[in-house]
């Protein structure tokens, strides 16, 4: 992550599949909009067409397919 030409942070997705799909894993009781936004932001940051958000922390497995809005 750069601000005014200086590196101020980094991003790191949990998994990158064949340079086309970013996978973000969570272990939360419930997914919230902020987690969905994070997964979508990874698709933009890596310039991939889609991403997958998977949550193992709830009563049952939760998954969301997200798309790069660009």
């Amino acid at each position: 992550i750069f601000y005014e030409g200086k590196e101020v942070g980094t991003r790191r997705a949990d998994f990158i599949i064949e340079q086309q799909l970013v996978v973000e894993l969570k272990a939360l009781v419930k997914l919230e909009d902020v987690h969905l936004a994070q997964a979508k932001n990874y698709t933009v940051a890596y310039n991939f067409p889609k991403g997958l958000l998977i949550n193992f922390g709830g009563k049952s497995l939760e998954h969301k397919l997200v798309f790069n809005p660009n």
Side-chain angles (χ1 to χ4, degrees), residues 16-35:
I16 304 292
I17 310 298
E18 294 190 10
Q19 298 300 309
Q20 294 182 17
L21 179 74
V22 60
V23 178
E24 182 66 16
L25 302 177
K26 298 291 183 191
L28 306 165
V29 173
K30 183 179 182 211
L31 285 177
E32 297 182 9
D33 288 343
V34 67
H35 305 116

Side-chain angles (χ1 to χ4, degrees), residues 17-65:
I17 310 298
E18 294 190 10
Q19 298 300 309
Q20 294 182 17
L21 179 74
V22 60
V23 178
E24 182 66 16
L25 302 177
K26 298 291 183 191
L28 306 165
V29 173
K30 183 179 182 211
L31 285 177
E32 297 182 9
D33 288 343
V34 67
H35 305 116
L36 193 58
Q38 179 187 23
K40 188 179 282 189
N41 286 337
Y42 279 145
T43 66
V44 173
Y46 287 99
N47 197 27
F48 292 165
K50 52 191 160 179
L52 188 59
L53 175 61
I54 303 172
N55 182 30
F56 295 95
K59 288 183 178 181
S60 63
L61 181 74
E62 228 179 324
H63 63 281
K64 305 276 184 188
L65 182 62

